[in-house]
Amino acid sequence: MAQLKVKLIKSLIGSKKDQIATAQALGLFKIGDTSVQPENDQTKGKVAKIIHLIEVSKA
């Protein structure tokens, strides 16, 4: 199964609570944190919600 590498590139300070919760659900807590997630509809939905805060690439 394909996987996505997600990296937090902008601070969560000042973000909406639901965006912070989404980032944390992806395992991203501070700038520079990286996680590998399965490429499925659930992950794509989370990524779309916080795309302005993260960098996404194929793992």
Side-chain angles (χ1 to χ4, degrees):
M1 176 186 269
Q3 296 194 326
L4 296 175
K5 181 178 177 184
V6 184
K7 180 177 180 180
L8 188 63
I9 57 170
K10 291 187 179 177
S11 175
L12 295 173
I13 296 172
S15 296
K16 296 178 182 177
K17 286 182 182 180
D18 62 329
Q19 292 174 336
I20 294 171
T22 300
Q24 291 175 344
L26 289 169
L28 308 172
F29 296 91
K30 61 183 191 231
I31 295 175
D33 281 355
T34 306
S35 80
V36 177
Q37 301 289 325
E39 187 175 353
N40 57 29
D41 290 340
Q42 184 179 10
T43 302
K44 288 178 184 177
K46 290 177 185 176
V47 164
K49 191 171 192 174
I50 61 168
I51 193 68
H52 61 288
L53 300 172
I54 58 175
E55 182 178 90
V56 182
S57 60
K58 297 281 184 184

